[in-house]
Amino acid sequence: MSMSSLNIAQLRAQFPILQQQVNAKPLIYFDNAATTQKPYAVINAITDFYTQCNANVHRGAHHLSNESTTRFEHARDTVACFMHAANRKEIIWTSGTTEGINIVAHGIAKQLRPGDEVLVTQMEHHANLVTWQQACAQSGASLKIAPIDDDGTLNIDAFVALLSTNTKLVAFPHISNALGTINPIKTLTAQAKKVGALVLIDGAQGIAHAKVDVVDIGCDFYVFSAHKLFGPTGIGVLWGKESVLKNWPVWQTGGEMIANVTYETATWGELPNRLEAGTPNIAGAIGLAAAVEWFSQLDLHALQHHEHALLKHATEQAHNFDGLTIVGNAPEKVAVLSFVLQGCHSADIGFLLDQQGIAIRSGDHCAQPLMRRLTLPGTARASFSIYNTIEEVDAFFIALKKVHQMLI
Ligand SMILES: Cc1ncc(COP(=O)(O)O)c(C=O)c1O
């Protein structure tokens, strides 16, 4: 089905989970930054795989194995095309964003020396912070943190000032999960390249909201998780430039990733296998490709327009809500409304909204240092996706009023 503009009712009908009631109320799912729901296209692709051709890949001994291998490698082509990778070998299957970052950090830790620096930002998810802390601790390199302004925008001047020839790797999020800030990834990459640093972009939140063309961006690594792109959990992608990845230290050892093995030693295979030890998540890769195909049929401009309308409407309502403060007011942001409500704990807000069938996230959003920077224990976060509606936003604010009255 091709959708040149968004028909939200038609789109919602493709998500079986959205049809249900929670606590005797129609489900309103506003926790899309944590994970997105899955359309039939994805669910059916995974079911088809298990019902029609489940077998291990790259064994080639029988019909099912050949069919499974064909679908699995076709999935790699689909993702390579989606990200505009120069080569299919640059697509490495991972378990998700976190593993992708760990593969890169594990490799860089072997190359870093005392005096070298890794630069990240104040808005990192723990996945893109703790990994670099560990890499620096292991190698004696230093971790530098680029500050944000109070509205949640990355301070570009400060970022640039922290770059030097000592900077070996720069890592930053495409979009902040806690604040919704969209970073100028091309500009940041270009600046990092001036000092010769490798650039990793944490695309966990970016992949479902923007066009990702890795050649155009100019970075070295872009990582994401399928589950934030309407795909299954347990699968993700590390895209890396072939010239960088082909000599990258191996991550795990075992089957699939070797060239030749004796009792004494082993040599490593070629990309992408050398970074994919063991039986891969075959159904996951096929499910991710189905998600990519499904997502690619949407009109990206219509999608962005719809999500922006949801954010604008929610922001206006929030400004008129006594006691509510929005956390994250960057001029460039996606449809994430992080907020605090005077006198209310974010966990209580989440719990009481759930009683009314509304799913949001509350807490530190895996960004404790960022919360400390903002001097907040946490926030409540409503994050919208393409299947959400203005009516749901209105229902959310009516429910939030009730919650507020109960809590103060
Ligand atoms: C910005 C960002 N980075 C990294 C992650 C980690 O993703 P995953 O848990 O799928 O590995 C998340 C998850 O919320 C995220 O939002």
Side-chain angles (χ1 to χ4, degrees):
M1 182 179 140
S2 165
M3 282 174 276
S4 57
S5 62
L6 292 183
N7 177 333
I8 304 300
Q10 210 177 16
L11 211 140
R12 287 180 69 84
Q14 298 178 49
F15 289 80
I17 207 168
L18 297 179
Q19 319 307 324
Q20 69 181 285
Q21 301 224 325
V22 168
N23 292 320
K25 295 275 168 54
L27 167 67
I28 295 181
Y29 185 76
F30 281 173
D31 196 14
N32 294 288
T35 198
T36 50
Q37 297 303 346
K38 321 304 171 200
Y40 280 117
V42 171
I43 297 166
N44 292 344
I46 295 168
T47 306
D48 284 355
F49 169 73
Y50 280 124
T51 51
Q52 290 170 19
C53 72
N54 174 51
N56 213 327
V57 289
H58 304 144
R59 309 301 196 261
H62 53 77
H63 167 76
L64 289 184
S65 178
N66 287 334
E67 182 60 24
S68 176
T69 304
T70 302
R71 291 194 195 189
F72 176 70
E73 290 302 338
H74 177 70
R76 201 186 301 274
D77 292 333
T78 303
V79 173
C81 179
F82 178 61
M83 302 181 80
H84 198 209
N87 191 321
R88 68 189 306 282
K89 292 186 208 166
E90 298 180 335
I91 303 297
I92 309 298
W93 302 121
T94 64
S95 62
T97 307
T98 302
E99 191 180 47
I101 298 169
N102 271 276
I103 294 172
V104 178
H106 169 260
I108 201 85
K110 294 186 184 308
Q111 299 168 23
L112 292 173
R113 301 282 169 266
D116 290 343
E117 293 173 2
V118 172
L119 176 62
V120 298
T121 75
Q122 273 183 340
M123 66 174 89
E124 302 307 332
H125 184 284
H126 295 155
N128 205 28
L129 175 64
V130 181
T131 23
W132 306 116
Q133 289 172 349
Q134 291 298 307
C136 289
Q138 283 161 27
S139 61
S142 310
L143 186 62
K144 302 282 170 188
I145 315 282
I148 57 167
D149 295 334
D150 289 340
D151 69 353
T153 311
L154 183 67
N155 186 318
I156 308 285
D157 292 341
F159 174 90
V160 172
L162 284 166
L163 289 167
S164 75
T165 49
N166 293 332
T167 315
K168 299 299 172 225
L169 187 134
V170 179
F172 48 82
H174 189 161
I175 292 172
S176 155
N177 61 314
L179 308 172
T181 308
I182 305 173
N183 283 317
I185 54 173
K186 265 184 88 167
T187 308
L188 300 180
T189 300
Q191 291 294 342
K193 286 292 158 197
K194 283 188 191 165
V195 296
L198 290 169
V199 174
L200 176 137
I201 300 181
D202 170 356
Q205 299 294 334
I207 198 76
H209 299 282
K211 172 87 196 108
V212 172
D213 178 331
V214 287
V215 175
D216 183 53
I217 297 166
C219 56
D220 298 282
F221 309 101
Y222 190 102
V223 290
F224 74 90
S225 307
H227 71 94
K228 306 214 194 250
L229 181 66
F230 312 101
T233 50
I235 182 88
V237 170
L238 158 62
W239 167 83
K241 262 186 201 151
E242 187 184 359
S243 55
V244 180
L245 274 191
K246 73 177 179 199
N247 297 316
W248 205 252
V250 296
W251 166 234
Q252 290 179 330
T253 51
E256 292 277 319
M257 53 75 68
I258 46 77
N260 190 41
V261 183
T262 65
Y263 280 116
E264 291 74 32
T265 186
T267 56
W268 313 141
E270 301 286 317
L271 283 177
N273 305 59
R274 76 193 299 273
L275 290 169
E276 293 179 356
T279 298
N281 182 350
I282 309 165
I286 290 166
L288 166 54
V292 163
E293 277 165 9
W294 180 85
F295 184 74
S296 300
Q297 289 178 68
L298 301 173
D299 177 338
L300 187 62
H301 290 296
L303 176 155
Q304 287 171 334
H305 185 264
H306 176 65
E307 290 186 350
H308 187 73
L310 294 171
L311 178 66
K312 186 165 174 284
H313 188 67
T315 304
E316 280 162 12
Q317 300 249 28
H319 284 153
N320 295 326
F321 200 109
D322 269 353
L324 189 153
T325 306
I326 298 176
V327 180
N329 290 290
E332 296 295 322
K333 67 177 276 197
V334 291
V336 167
L337 187 81
S338 239
F339 62 93
V340 288
L341 209 45
Q342 208 174 21
C344 306
H345 195 286
S346 65
D348 295 335
I349 298 172
F351 175 78
L352 291 171
L353 283 174
D354 182 52
Q355 302 300 300
Q356 303 182 62
I358 301 172
I360 63 151
R361 172 89 183 259
S362 53
D364 60 33
H365 313 294
C366 296
Q368 289 178 10
L370 172 62
M371 292 298 133
R372 265 181 225 115
R373 155 68 183 84
L374 299 169
T375 59
L376 294 169
T379 72
R381 182 189 69 186
S383 52
F384 312 118
S385 187
I386 41 178
Y387 38 63
N388 293 127
T389 65
I390 295 284
E391 292 73 30
E392 286 184 319
V393 174
D394 287 339
F396 164 77
F397 276 100
I398 291 169
L400 193 62
K401 274 251 147 69
K402 281 194 210 157
V403 167
H404 197 204
Q405 280 157 7
M406 287 165 82
L407 289 175
I408 54 170

